[in-house]
Amino acid sequence: MNFCLSDLVPPLRWSDAATIPLLRDRPGLPDAWWRSLPMARLLIVLSPEDLAEILARIAMEHWPAAAVGDVLPALYVLDPDEADEPCTAIALDRTGSWAGLLSLTGHELRDQPFIQPFPVLTVLFAAVFHRVAHLSPGSGSPAAASPSPSEVPEAGGQKAREAALKVTPATPAPEAGPVSPADPEAGPGPEAGAEAGAEAGAEAGAETGRDAGAPSAPSVPEDGRMAVPTTEEVEHVPDGDEERQPAASLHTLADGAFADLEDKSWAVAQNRLFSDEPATVEALAKLFAVPPGVIQDLESDLRRQFKAWLASENAAPYREHLAEIKKVLGKAAPKTRLITAADWHSRELHSLDVPAWQFVMASLPEYHLVDEWLVEGDITELRHHTRDVISGAKPPLTMTKALALVTSLGIHPEVSKEWLENVPQLRILGAGQRSNGAATKARPKPKAADRTERAERPAADASGEGPDDGPGKAPYRPLKDVSLTRRCFRQPDGRWWLRIDITSEHIEGSECPLPSGFAAYLGMAPGDSRTVNSAVGELTLNWRDRPAVESLRTLLSDVGAKQGSYLFLTLSDEGVLRARHLPAAGEEVEPTAQALRLVGYTAPGGTPEQAARVIATRVGMSGPVSVPDLLVRLRERGDRDLLSLLA
């Protein structure tokens, strides 16, 4: 007796499986193979891992509301030890039991912290398919009697038989008698069917193998396990494909670096070392119900292990690859440049369940990922350097000249234009573009302070009209970038917010000054006046003698602000003024918590070191930052209140 994939996976019977590309577009398999091809023959064409990956993707994309156990009910009788991988161990820790894990839907798996649904489903489904592939025909099952080859369904005809069994008979095989498709409502349970399917596949292979000139199908030894090809057979590279071997070996080398980690170490490696968005130590500690120090110790051990591996003789080819990658990246490059630098970078490292490019990124500690850019060193400093080079160039400054200047900073020409577009408050004239429609003339070189204070503006044109008199004036460039502007902090939404310390004058409706760096970040320049929407109606921003909001009285009244509290402001992409109000911290609050509140961070707890990391991120610093470096940055910005609390 035989059974098919649709007998194991009920959703295939009640969904329109023929419309699912992952099922329909399978080369080498007959039409509707999921309900016509016996599992024993299917697992000769597709490995258990390949079939599990297909089913996992279908479950996530097409059946997200189905419970894991409803997708593959055989999981309920599977021994959990057969699916013992770090990703499933973490999932079990989160759900509390095997039954609890199987009761989760695809949507619910996605919502669980630290659970990666696709790897978990792949491991679970592969464990079942391995069990099906390795069932013993001599186990005493009622289905142990082997059917003759003529009793095996044709499953799409002789062409399908050849594809499934990977043979090319010299003479046509005899036609099999008509057999009705497998009936999901009848017959013994899956286990009996699996034994019959495996036995039928072996018998059919043996019968076909006896045809003259035909190679034999994979044999089934006495212990019932399918014969496994040798390493030489599997890894044989056809002529002309030798260039693929280095990439494959590098992927294998990286995949084996952390192949034997226990559960906690695996979770720390995946979520801290090799992640582009590292989880917090506290979150991992809560996951495993251990003190944060345990997670920190594990992370330190893993970093030492990683450093030792990178320095080892075995990793020499990988170090050569890193040297090439550094040349590809240059001083700064988009993240996509790292991903596409080598074919294997986009592949998964199965030992860690992370993309290989994240492993490579962790191997380059001098590079930091900020705003989808990989930058060697501090991105804020590189942006400042870029602005200084551009503003110090002799006019007229065209895009071609600007790109050449950026290239001189170590940024590759092919990404230099993209880098310029990502530097805030920087605009370059395009090729042949003229301000006010007239050619620009040379002007006396401004003083260093003036050059820093103002953006490069066109000189008076032939008609004598100055840059401030016409519509062609360049954007205002403040003395300091927003990242170096006092009381400006980058929040998790990626925007810079200004903290306003509320006074009685603000509550009474007086004008509220804005720092020029923040006003320029909002797109304003001297002489501008803008009306923006807010939660309480329209508010006016202007820049006469100084940038300011005309009045915050209505807004402060709406949020119940009091003297000494804080109001954080920014503009959305739609030009709406967004505001967030925080009450003042009480005198009993410790200095570290007060400092965090000043940057808009209100989560409880945390050590001074953790607070320093949060504040460093909020003021635009990236990568590991020491407390002395943070204090230097705060002093440079003028945040004396933060300095006094952290000193």
Side-chain angles (χ1 to χ4, degrees), residues 438-500:
T440 57
K441 294 182 178 180
R443 64 175 179 173
K445 187 174 181 181
K447 296 179 181 179
D450 294 337
R451 189 169 64 247
T452 306
E453 176 69 24
R454 297 189 301 272
E456 197 71 82
R457 304 185 184 186
D461 60 24
S463 64
E465 184 178 53
D468 294 329
D469 300 325
K473 68 177 181 180
Y476 175 77
R477 181 165 178 259
L479 180 63
K480 287 187 177 181
D481 179 69
V482 66
S483 63
L484 291 177
T485 300
R486 185 167 67 98
R487 295 185 284 112
C488 288
F489 307 102
R490 186 170 59 192
Q491 302 298 326
D493 61 1
R495 296 188 175 281
W496 287 90
W497 293 62
L498 170 68
R499 188 191 81 237
I500 298 175

Side-chain angles (χ1 to χ4, degrees), residues 111-180:
D111 293 339
Q112 295 291 323
F114 305 109
I115 292 182
Q116 293 184 312
F118 178 69
V120 170
L121 291 181
T122 303
V123 169
L124 293 177
F125 296 162
V128 171
F129 296 144
H130 271 292
R131 185 75 175 271
V132 171
H134 295 161
L135 284 173
S136 170
S139 60
S141 165
S146 301
S148 66
S150 62
E151 293 175 330
V152 179
E154 276 302 303
Q158 178 65 17
K159 183 178 179 181
R161 181 194 296 272
E162 293 173 4
L165 297 180
K166 298 281 184 139
V167 297
T168 310
T171 58
E175 290 289 334
V179 179
S180 60

Side-chain angles (χ1 to χ4, degrees), residues 380-403:
T380 303
E381 292 180 3
L382 185 58
R383 284 171 173 170
H384 279 306
H385 197 181
T386 304
R387 279 190 289 266
D388 289 341
V389 168
I390 296 299
S391 64
K394 294 181 179 179
L397 181 61
T398 63
M399 179 61 74
T400 302
K401 289 183 179 179
L403 295 180

Side-chain angles (χ1 to χ4, degrees), residues 371 482-483 487-499 518 521-523 530 568-580 599 617-620:
D371 298 335
V482 66
S483 63
R487 295 185 284 112
C488 288
F489 307 102
R490 186 170 59 192
Q491 302 298 326
D493 61 1
R495 296 188 175 281
W496 287 90
W497 293 62
L498 170 68
R499 188 191 81 237
F518 183 71
Y521 171 74
L522 299 183
R530 299 175 59 182
F568 289 82
L569 297 178
T570 194
L571 276 184
S572 68
D573 289 333
E574 296 76 22
V576 176
L577 188 72
R578 296 169 56 190
R580 179 191 178 205
V599 302
T617 302
R618 296 289 172 101
V619 298

